[in-house]
Amino acid sequence: MHKHKYQTLPNHSQKEDHSKDSCCGHKHSDHSHCHHDHSEHRQAQPSHCNHNHSKDQEECSDTVVSNGITFTCLLENLGCANCAAKMESQIAQLPGVHDATLTFATRQLRVFVKSDAAENEQALISEIQKICASIESEVIVRKQQANQRGRRALSQTTESKPNKRKEQNMELTCILSGTLLFIVGEIFDHFGATPLIPSLLYVLAYLILGGQILLTAAKNLTRGQIFDENFLMSLATLGAFAIGEFAEAVGVMLFYRIGEFFEETAVSRSRSQIMDAVDLRPETVNLVTGDSTKELPAEEAQCGDILIVRPGDRIPLDGIIIEGESRLDTSPITGEPVPVKASPGDAVTSGCINTAGQLKIQVEKTLEHSMVTRILDSVENAAASKPKIDRFITRFSKIYTPFVVLAAAATAVLPSLVTGDWSHWIYTALTFLVISCPCALVLSVPLAFFSGIGAGSKKGILFKGGISMEALNKISAVVMDKTGTITKGNFAVQQIIPFGDFSQEEIVALCASCEQHSTHPIGVSITAFAKEKHLLLENPSGLQELAGHGIQAQLSGKEVLAGNKKLMDQYHIDVSAYSQTSCGTEVFLAVNGSLAGILLISDTIKPEAKGAISSLKEMHITTAMLTGDAADNAHAVASEIGIDEIHARLLPQEKLSKLQEIRSRHGAVMFVGDGINDAPVLAGADVGAAMGSGADAAIEAADVVFMTSNMQAVPQSVTIAKAATRIAWQNVIFALVIKAFVMILGLAGCASMWMAVFADSGVAMLCVLNSIRILYKK
């Protein structure tokens, strides 16, 4: 590896190898013709980043943290989002617990335990079980195991086991039986039968429909759960019996049970749909053993194993193709719609779909470390990172229910003392009790963000959590670096200018002969171009590297110089016949003391860049570019794709100050790099985004990771974040407006308990359905 004269950026196709050596072994001592800033492409060190990222990417076993450990539990049979919020609050207050996060969407409980309490994990889980059972008696707390993640966690809980299906069948039977008795009671009541008969039918229907709710309410009441939904519903319907509204009591309980059934079904399907979108991990793999294959669990596959991947199958684990050719659909990982060719020697990423021929791959990473698991980690961590609106709604719900219950009590007593119409005002108060549970609010907000996270992962966009999505929703400017983000990061020969009797092919062949052993991007690009043209290259009989200038070589007895203008000046080569008209890095070629030609090398702009910038402008977002490159090159790129602001020839500290200046003028800023960004700039942005193939440092340091290098991911991420935030607020406003409307109608004497049930269970179900529509939005 020799010293080189061209002061340009490292080849981004090799960026993972460059993480240990940002200069790629070259000494760039003289920046005479290229003013790129190499520090722009140093590997970002997460430790320098002051973002509040969710870095707790634990697998399924204990993970050591700075002040103890964190472990994950699954909560089977968890059915109430409001109850989940209560559990989280109480668990976080346990002795030895630093913090606890319960994600209703995934049913995962993450407990951060202090060092002195880490040894008593089993005892702590027992305490957690007591808390959860005291709030929801059916909940079972289990330590999450290696095979209990994503879709498997759903399939292994009692939610989809035979006994759960029996429970659902029993629930349907109860609903149908209660409905039949209710209809018969209504018929007897309307046809003038003896009042005793319809009353008995109503009571029997009520016991069938609400018996379990009454028992649960009684149990929870003994545990101090005064504002429990079961108790409030029991109180409301028993109150209706007390004032003689038998049919109303049964009808409300019937409607409530139907609403709860559909809400539970909607939530369950939402979980499954989102997990199907984000959990691409294989259940099994086909291992080659001699001349045969055998199926074994994916987690048992080891590095070096040979796997068969048939057409139509997903690539199960990260590896390298050793036999076969095909085309791979990478859209599940990167969002790229066009399949890519794959042949022996190519690295393949788990989760991609083999669309054509059969492949044999050698495992490079086990399931635990393959891309599909890293994506699932990111999604689960993101789901556990709750946005401000979620935390606000959780706090609000603690006030909302007691307030509505007190309003119900006041409505029952105060107007009745004035009017003497106790029956009417008690009935009105009972409608308040029915809508006093905040489940629609507590459930729909996190589900909206979880759906947004799932929608992003389908497009190769990994959000680090609801906090990141909220921040992305508020950005006013997008700041980007140039190379590897706006441009492809792979230098190519753009123009060949011959002089004298030399042809373009001769110039390229001579330059490539000098550069053929170079590992610098400029030299590599020239050599690659020559090979594409099938030109014959000559090994120099003598070669001398002139640091910061270029190469002096002997080819076929001729003295050949290849380098920058300083090299030409040093050897007194007349270049007055040339004047630069295009932007790029110039490679001068001289033969026997005379100028023979010039190659113009530059990075290529991504074809989708202009459309991406246009999409951002349609959202009224200002675009800016920060680069260490020369001003001419930067302005040429910016003008071609329509970027608003250009700041060139910047050092890392200057980039940070420019970013702060942009924020002061425009507001919240998103910084987008190619995955090997300056840590200060990444940390200084409101939202840091890494563009690239998901390198470890990028995933660790950024708020958003684009698994593809396609620039369209930038406006797509903003669109998804805005949609998720908008849907969350739609749910909140819709639920509160409907509940307030029913309360006002009740005070006006126009509302029934049926309407109140709709304002509770019906609204919750509609909010759930509204939350998941982002998964299907194009």
Side-chain angles (χ1 to χ4, degrees), residues 326-566:
S326 182
R327 298 191 73 82
L328 300 181
D329 177 6
T330 63
S331 60
I333 302 298
T334 66
E336 293 281 5
V338 180
V340 297
K341 185 179 179 181
S343 54
D346 291 342
V348 290
T349 302
S350 53
C352 300
I353 301 172
N354 178 23
T355 62
Q358 181 169 285
L359 299 174
K360 279 187 181 180
I361 68 168
Q362 183 175 29
V363 177
E364 292 286 302
K365 294 181 182 178
T366 60
L367 180 63
E368 182 181 2
H369 299 103
S370 285
M371 183 60 70
V372 285
T373 300
R374 291 167 65 190
I375 290 174
L376 182 61
D377 285 342
S378 180
V379 171
E380 289 182 342
N381 290 335
S385 174
K386 298 183 179 182
K388 292 179 181 178
I389 182 178
D390 191 355
R391 297 183 184 277
F392 165 75
I393 290 299
T394 301
R395 292 194 298 270
F396 174 76
S397 65
K398 295 177 181 179
I399 303 170
Y400 168 80
T401 300
F403 172 80
V404 176
V405 171
L406 288 174
T411 302
V413 176
L414 297 180
S416 300
L417 292 175
V418 176
T419 63
D421 190 356
W422 288 87
S423 178
H424 168 74
W425 290 110
I426 288 175
Y427 180 84
T428 301
L430 296 177
T431 64
F432 285 17
L433 290 179
V434 172
I435 62 175
S436 62
C437 183
C439 266
L441 297 171
V442 180
L443 169 66
S444 58
V445 170
L447 196 58
F449 282 97
F450 190 40
S451 297
I453 291 165
S457 70
K458 289 173 67 176
K459 295 182 178 294
I461 301 169
L462 301 184
F463 296 100
K464 283 296 183 72
I467 295 174
S468 300
M469 296 183 80
E470 273 188 330
L472 197 54
N473 177 61
K474 298 175 183 177
I475 64 165
S476 302
V478 172
V479 179
M480 296 159 277
D481 70 354
K482 182 175 76 70
T483 306
T485 301
I486 298 171
T487 62
K488 292 182 178 180
N490 54 341
F491 294 90
V493 176
Q494 302 293 338
Q495 191 175 358
I496 306 168
I497 306 170
F499 289 91
D501 296 330
F502 290 91
S503 66
Q504 290 186 350
E505 289 75 11
E506 287 176 315
I507 293 169
V508 174
L510 288 168
C511 271
S513 295
C514 294
E515 300 282 0
Q516 59 185 308
H517 300 298
S518 171
T519 57
H520 190 277
I522 294 294
V524 170
S525 66
I526 294 172
T527 304
F529 185 75
K531 289 180 179 178
E532 287 176 12
K533 299 294 183 181
H534 304 290
L535 301 178
L536 292 176
L537 304 185
E538 180 183 345
N539 284 319
S541 57
L543 186 145
Q544 182 182 4
E545 171 73 22
L546 303 173
H549 291 70
I551 294 174
Q552 180 191 35
Q554 297 296 321
L555 294 169
S556 299
K558 299 175 183 178
E559 182 188 54
V560 178
L561 300 172
N564 56 25
K565 191 172 183 295
K566 279 188 177 184

Side-chain angles (χ1 to χ4, degrees), residues 304-330:
D305 285 350
I306 307 300
L307 308 180
I308 287 285
V309 184
R310 300 183 179 92
D313 291 347
R314 289 189 188 275
I315 303 296
L317 304 172
D318 293 3
I320 293 178
I321 298 174
I322 60 172
E323 184 180 311
E325 292 189 353
S326 182
R327 298 191 73 82
L328 300 181
D329 177 6
T330 63

